[in-house]
């Protein structure tokens, strides 16, 4: 399986970089994982709704440009479906079984994803109704992908 994780902004926090690198290394026997970062837009605190929309559109265009036409897109969105780890594993297994072995998980910037990108998504996935920093979401996502691969191979993993 080939997995892309597309994100907005550069990850700077060393503990997150190290954690993600560890899980990407662990995923080596299961999947090829590619991390793609697109530049973020400046987003000051006091933006109008129209300015926020412009930021999402610009970041969304960069993300869309990085997606191959044939890739299955999972957009991480707070209003998406909530799956268990087992449901994520089953979904990835089903995609691989039916020839959809190229999957892209997309994490937006601090203002979320553009409506254009959400329309392109094959599924919207939520990790809960709580808001998590988009940088931390990268680590949570890559750990869950690793967990899903272990589940699909029937290998033990901490519950």
């Amino acid at each position: 399986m080939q997995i892309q994780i597309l994100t907005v902004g550069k990850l700077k926090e060393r503990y997150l970089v190290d954690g993600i690198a560890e899980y990407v290394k662990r995923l080596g026997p299961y999947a090829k994982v590619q991390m793609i970062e697109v530049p973020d837009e400046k987003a000051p605190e006091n933006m109008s709704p129209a300015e926020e929309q412009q930021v999402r559109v610009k970041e969304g265009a960069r993300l869309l440009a990085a997606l191959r036409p044939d890739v299955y897109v999972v957009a991480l969105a707070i209003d998406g479906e909530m799956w268990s780890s087992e449901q994520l594993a089953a979904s990835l297994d089903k995609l691989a079984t039916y020839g959809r072995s190229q999957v892209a998980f997309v994490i937006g910037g601090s203002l979320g994803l553009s409506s254009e990108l959400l329309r392109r998504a094959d599924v919207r996935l939520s990790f809960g109704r709580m808001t998590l920093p988009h940088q931390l979401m990268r680590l949570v996502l890559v750990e869950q992908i690793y967990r899903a691969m272990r589940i699909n191979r029937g290998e033990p993993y901490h519950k």
Side-chain angles (χ1 to χ4, degrees):
M1 180 159 266
Q2 295 184 10
I3 297 173
Q4 290 181 314
I5 299 175
L6 279 73
T7 61
V8 173
K10 183 122 180 86
L11 192 58
K12 297 175 186 101
E13 292 83 357
R14 185 88 231 144
Y15 71 98
L16 292 173
V17 171
D18 291 345
I20 291 166
E22 176 62 27
Y23 280 108
V24 168
K25 182 177 87 177
R26 290 182 188 189
L27 275 163
Y30 307 99
K32 180 182 177 199
V33 179
Q34 180 184 22
M35 305 292 286
I36 300 171
E37 295 176 332
V38 302
D40 58 349
E41 289 290 311
K42 299 276 188 229
E45 293 293 323
N46 56 353
M47 295 176 66
S48 71
E51 290 170 322
E52 289 180 358
Q53 176 66 10
Q54 277 186 314
V55 167
R56 280 191 296 274
V57 166
K58 287 178 182 178
E59 291 174 347
R62 292 180 190 130
L63 290 166
L64 285 166
L67 288 170
R68 294 187 305 266
D70 59 338
V71 71
Y72 186 89
V73 177
V74 179
L76 273 62
I78 201 163
D79 65 346
E81 300 174 29
M82 285 193 275
W83 294 348
S84 66
S85 297
E86 292 79 9
Q87 286 173 300
L88 175 61
S91 179
L92 290 174
D93 190 50
K94 183 178 175 184
L95 288 169
T97 300
Y98 292 100
R100 301 293 305 266
S101 61
Q102 296 185 23
V103 179
F105 290 88
V106 183
I107 302 171
S110 60
L111 299 176
L113 294 167
S114 69
S115 56
E116 294 83 5
L117 194 130
L118 291 171
R119 279 193 298 276
R120 168 63 178 88
D122 293 286
V123 67
R124 293 182 194 186
L125 178 61
S126 174
F127 278 65
R129 299 295 175 229
M130 291 183 180
T131 302
L132 295 172
H134 60 282
Q135 300 93 341
L136 178 60
M137 197 61 235
R138 297 180 197 194
L139 177 59
V140 173
L141 173 63
V142 77
E143 186 279 334
Q144 284 297 303
I145 293 169
Y146 175 67
R147 184 181 296 264
M149 295 298 178
R150 302 272 305 186
I151 289 168
N152 285 341
R153 291 239 185 125
E155 298 172 352
Y157 195 84
H158 187 285
K159 296 178 186 197

